[in-house]
């Protein structure tokens, strides 16, 4: 199973555009592909792919619950909590579920066994089938419940769903940035495709993303969206850092129009299929070169 993560140092670079079009292209070519939308705070792959027969499952985390009859307000639970999710006021113990990281320390260390854990739903994982002329593929989407502050458990659930058998290629549409959800999304990838645009802001955030990927011991390649705007500093940076540019998607009004209509570029602008086909060949070559490296 080949695992490819599509990430970016900032939002709005075209990461989802690349992920959904690559998934559609691979399905058309007969590959067994599965696309994971791990941008759980704002999933949008389904807007372009329109999956059918969707099913959903909740994502639960364990939250401590206090048994007031047994609790002596000894403060052990509050002292051990590194996230300030428990506090003691007088003889009352208050739990703040939004802050809890479900580490399990408080029920384990409570001397009176006055704490137990109960599940709390923080999001859901949806599965659906996307039909293409060359075959169908599965779209797995994570959606964080509105108001929840911790997306990582939902991200982990999406990744777990993507590890099932039945796919030759797993594409992960990661959230933007370099925070914990991004790290969880790209962890274990055979290759990370970093999407950027040739602007000063794009280059700055590309640098941060490259540092993150290298700190994780992963290999990255770069895809440049809106090629032709700005200057050549992004290309020069990639050359200096030994980063292969696998795609230069032109700055074309027709691309923006197709995107605004929720259309796939490989369908709306068939001449772009060659660019995505070339990108996929370069991705496979990059992974192969990595595997044979001594």
């Amino acid at each position: 199973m080949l695992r490819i993560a599509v990430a970016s140092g900032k939002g709005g670079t075209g990461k989802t555009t690349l992920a959904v079009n690559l998934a559609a292209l691979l399905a058309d070519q007969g590959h067994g592909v599965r696309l994971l939308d791990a941008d759980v705070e704002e999933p949008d792959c389904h807007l372009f792919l329109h999956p059918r027969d969707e099913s959903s499952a909740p994502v639960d985390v364990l939250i401590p619950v206090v048994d007031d009859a047994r609790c002596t307000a000894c403060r052990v639970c509050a002292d051990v909590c590194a996230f300030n999710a428990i506090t003691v006021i007088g003889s009352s113990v208050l739990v703040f579920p939004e802050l809890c990281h479900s580490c399990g320390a408080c029920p384990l260390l409570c001397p009176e066994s006055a704490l137990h854990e109960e599940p709390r739903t923080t999001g859901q994982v949806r599965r659906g089938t996307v039909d293409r002329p060359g075959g169908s593929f599965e779209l797995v989407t994570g959606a964080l419940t509105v108001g929840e502050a911790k997306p990582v458990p939902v991200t982990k659930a999406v990744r777990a769903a993507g590890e099932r058998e039945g796919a030759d290629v797993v594409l992960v549409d990661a959230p933007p940035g370099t925070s914990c959800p991004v790290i969880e999304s790209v962890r274990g990838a055979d290759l990370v495709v970093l999407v950027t645009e040739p602007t000063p802001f794009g280059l700055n955030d590309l640098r941060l993303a490259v540092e993150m990927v290298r700190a994780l011991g992963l290999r990255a390649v770069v895809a440049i969206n809106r090629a032709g705007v700005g200057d050549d500093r992004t290309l020069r940076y990639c050359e200096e850092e030994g980063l292969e540019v696998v795609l230069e998607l032109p700055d074309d009004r027709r691309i923006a129009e197709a995107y605004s209509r929720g259309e796939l570029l490989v369908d709306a602008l068939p001449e772009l299929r060659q660019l995505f086909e070339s990108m996929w060949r370069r991705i496979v070559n990059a992974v192969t070169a990595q595997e044979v490296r001594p």
Side-chain angles (χ1 to χ4, degrees):
M1 183 184 295
L2 184 61
R3 299 172 179 83
I4 305 297
V6 183
S8 62
K10 63 184 285 293
T13 60
K15 171 178 54 62
T16 296
T17 298
L18 189 151
V20 296
N21 280 278
L22 183 57
L25 176 72
L26 294 179
D28 288 346
Q29 293 179 343
H31 292 280
V33 61
R34 180 180 295 133
L35 175 58
L36 313 183
D37 191 344
D39 189 359
V40 302
E41 294 182 80
E42 196 172 358
D44 55 3
C45 288
H46 64 284
L47 299 177
F48 299 90
L49 298 173
H50 311 291
R52 60 173 172 83
D53 301 332
E54 277 197 300
S55 62
S56 64
V59 178
D60 294 333
V61 296
L62 294 177
I63 301 297
V65 176
V66 182
D67 182 351
D68 293 328
R70 301 177 68 98
C71 180
T72 61
C74 66
R75 296 193 58 87
V76 169
C77 56
D79 292 340
V80 76
C81 183
F83 306 101
N84 298 315
I86 301 181
T87 188
V88 179
I89 301 178
S91 60
S92 299
V93 176
L94 303 179
V95 177
F96 301 97
E98 295 81 4
L99 299 179
C100 179
H101 282 58
S102 306
C103 69
C106 54
L108 179 66
L109 297 177
C110 178
E112 305 298 332
S113 299
L115 287 166
H116 67 278
E117 293 178 309
E118 294 183 359
R120 176 172 180 269
T121 299
T122 62
Q124 61 177 236
V125 173
R126 300 193 297 265
R127 294 189 181 94
T129 301
V130 179
D131 293 321
R132 293 293 302 171
S136 60
F137 68 92
E138 184 181 29
L139 172 64
V140 181
T141 302
L144 184 70
T145 300
V146 174
E148 289 292 332
K150 300 184 297 297
V152 171
V154 183
T155 306
K156 288 183 177 180
V158 172
R159 282 180 48 87
E163 292 298 322
R164 295 181 298 109
E165 296 297 326
D168 302 322
V169 180
V170 174
L171 298 175
V172 183
D173 182 13
T178 57
S179 59
C180 294
V182 184
I183 293 173
E184 179 62 32
S185 299
V186 305
R187 181 174 54 83
D190 296 301
L191 191 72
V192 181
V193 181
L194 296 175
V195 186
T196 188
E197 52 191 17
T199 64
F201 287 114
L203 177 56
N204 176 76
D205 293 319
L206 174 62
R207 294 178 187 271
L208 297 176
V210 170
E211 291 177 7
M212 174 200 69
V213 170
R214 288 177 173 172
L216 295 173
L218 303 174
R219 185 166 179 218
V221 294
V222 174
I224 299 178
N225 189 21
R226 300 181 64 216
V229 301
D231 51 39
D232 65 344
R233 282 183 290 180
T234 300
L235 286 172
R236 285 192 281 113
Y237 167 76
C238 292
E239 183 178 358
E240 292 167 359
E241 295 295 322
L243 295 166
E244 181 182 1
V245 177
V246 296
L247 174 71
E248 291 186 65
L249 196 62
D251 183 33
D252 189 327
R253 180 184 177 90
R254 297 176 303 159
I255 293 177
E257 291 174 348
Y259 177 88
S260 68
R261 293 191 297 265
E263 298 177 349
L264 294 174
L265 300 184
V266 293
D267 295 335
L269 301 170
E271 64 270 25
L272 294 180
R273 291 181 70 93
Q274 293 183 354
L275 288 179
F276 285 97
E277 290 170 352
S278 175
M279 177 184 67
W280 177 243
R281 288 194 296 270
R282 293 180 179 183
I283 288 173
V284 172
N285 289 339
V287 174
T288 303
Q290 184 179 4
E291 290 175 347
V292 301
R293 184 177 301 169

